[in-house]
Amino acid sequence: GCFMCGWFTPMLQVPMADINVVSRRAGGGFGGKLCRHIPVAVAAAVAAQHTGKPVRMTLDRNTDMRTTGGVEQADVPGSLTG
C-alpha cells in the first residue's frame, strides 16, 4: 500500500488494495509538506466514489500555495555555538 492510501480507507470504507492514488508531486524540502495535500486528495476520492468515475483535481497557483504552503512544526534538540 501507499502512504496516502491509509488516509483513504477509513473515509471510503474500502480495502487499501482497492485504492489507486496518482500524485504528480508531493513533499519537497525533505517532506515538510508531505501531508498538506491530503484533504484535497480525499475530496477527490470521495467525489470519485460518489460518481463512479475517475476524478482529477487541479488547483490554481494561489489556492495551491494557500493549501499546501507553509512549514510543519518541528522540535529539534540541540544547541547553537558560535
Side-chain angles (χ1 to χ4, degrees), residues 4 7 18 23 33 40 44 49 63 65 71 81:
M4 284 183 50
W7 291 87
D18 292 347
S23 179
K33 297 170 186 67
V40 174
Q49 187 180 46
T63 304
M65 292 303 290
V71 297
T81 60

Side-chain angles (χ1 to χ4, degrees), residues 3-4 7 23 25-39 41 68 70-72:
F3 167 77
M4 284 183 50
W7 291 87
S23 179
R25 65 179 179 83
F30 304 103
K33 297 170 186 67
L34 187 60
C35 297
R36 292 183 178 261
H37 64 287
I38 289 175
T68 61
V71 297
E72 299 291 334

Side-chain angles (χ1 to χ4, degrees), residues 36-72:
R36 292 183 178 261
H37 64 287
I38 289 175
V40 174
V42 170
V46 170
Q49 187 180 46
H50 181 73
T51 63
K53 298 179 181 181
V55 171
R56 177 184 301 201
M57 293 187 76
T58 304
L59 305 178
D60 63 48
R61 189 65 177 150
N62 287 334
T63 304
D64 179 56
M65 292 303 290
R66 283 195 316 270
T67 305
T68 61
V71 297
E72 299 291 334

Side-chain angles (χ1 to χ4, degrees), residues 76-82:
V76 181
S79 63
L80 297 174
T81 60

